[in-house]
Amino acid sequence: MWAIKGLSDNTLSAYRTDLTHLARYLASIGLWLENASQAALLDFIDWRTQQGIAKTSSARQLSSIRRYYRYLVAHQTINEDPSALLDTPKLGKHLPSTLTEQEVERLLAEPQCDDAIECRDAAMLELLYATGLRVSELVSLTLSMLSLRQGLVRVTGKGNKDRLVPLGEMAHQAIERYLQQARAELLKGQSSEVLFPSRRGQMMTRQTFWHRIKHYALRANISSELSPHTLRHAFATHLLNHGADLRVVQLLLGHSSLSTTQIYTHVAQLRLAKLHSEHHPRG
């Protein structure tokens, strides 16, 4: 799957975990992955549901199982796919958590560039909001993926697909300031291609940057619910609020399907309805 589908390490790790759970369950009832029946798979899914697994996790788990058994059938390890008739749990539309434009302004204003770490963070936050990158895409950027002259960043997203995203003036300025004032101090003489290195001069983890976001949100007195993708959601929602075309937002986010991007239209419509009710004289 890694070689053919180009799936990310995180996706592969999730699939591996799902199949490990299934293998252990089957072993407890005297079965193996290769001789599991449809009834055994249903019992496993029911057992996981009773453990309190979320519907989204259950759906991904079922996807893991189906991929695995389709692979076994394709390679003639088994004759019939026991997962073929299993129903995917119905998922409601989950509206992503986001920030208002005022909250984003407060968040972006928090890092102070008299400190090398905060100067780096300021550039990262500005870039995240300007481009809608996933946090995993942000921390894995290298110098060669950035073109300040053209005002573009080349991003390698899911499925190893590249896309070009414009930086915007504020992000451009923040990155230029960081490169001139802070990056060399962070590297302390080391050589690195990583655009935003950690204190040790290495690629930062997603978890580390997530903690940095929470740190600045706390300083900015932002009480809204945050997630690692909060600024990505804000980027998409605010673009749509200001009249951007949905397909343009899809390309910028790197979504393979427009249906994935459409969730943001619901967020934008809810926000517009709220603004109308608050500010229109007959709202």
Side-chain angles (χ1 to χ4, degrees), residues 50-66:
Q50 291 176 21
Q51 287 187 318
I53 185 173
K55 282 188 177 181
T56 51
S57 298
S58 182
R60 191 211 60 225
Q61 187 172 253
L62 188 52
S63 175
S64 309
I65 293 170
R66 282 177 172 155

Side-chain angles (χ1 to χ4, degrees), residues 110-178:
E110 275 305 315
Q112 303 301 309
C113 269
D114 54 358
D115 176 84
I117 291 290
E118 295 210 2
C119 192
R120 178 204 64 192
D121 293 347
M124 294 180 79
L125 288 171
E126 287 284 1
L127 182 58
L128 204 58
Y129 181 54
T131 59
L133 300 189
R134 300 175 179 91
V135 173
S136 57
E137 295 170 343
L138 177 73
V139 297
S140 61
L141 288 176
T142 61
L143 290 171
S144 62
M145 298 167 81
L146 175 72
S147 174
L148 288 177
R149 184 173 62 84
Q150 294 179 311
L152 294 171
V153 62
R154 176 170 53 83
V155 185
T156 302
K158 291 185 176 180
N160 288 326
K161 294 178 181 177
D162 284 351
R163 68 186 190 275
L164 291 174
V165 186
L167 294 176
E169 184 179 350
M170 299 298 288
H172 189 289
Q173 292 175 2
I175 294 171
E176 204 163 34
R177 183 171 59 242
Y178 154 71

Side-chain angles (χ1 to χ4, degrees), residues 202-221:
Q202 301 171 340
M203 183 182 293
M204 196 186 311
T205 66
R206 292 178 305 133
Q207 292 79 7
T208 297
F209 187 61
W210 167 226
H211 286 304
R212 300 301 296 168
I213 292 176
K214 290 198 292 185
H215 168 70
Y216 294 118
L218 189 65
R219 275 173 34 179
N221 294 317

Side-chain angles (χ1 to χ4, degrees), residues 86-98:
L86 298 180
D87 291 329
T88 303
K90 294 187 184 300
L91 300 177
K93 288 183 177 177
H94 173 67
L95 298 180
S97 59
T98 186

Side-chain angles (χ1 to χ4, degrees), residues 5 8 26 32 39 42 49 55 79 100 108 177 217 274 276:
K5 300 287 186 182
S8 69
L26 292 173
W32 303 97
L42 283 170
T49 301
K55 282 188 177 181
N79 296 321
T100 65
L108 298 183
R177 183 171 59 242
K274 183 181 179 183
H276 181 276

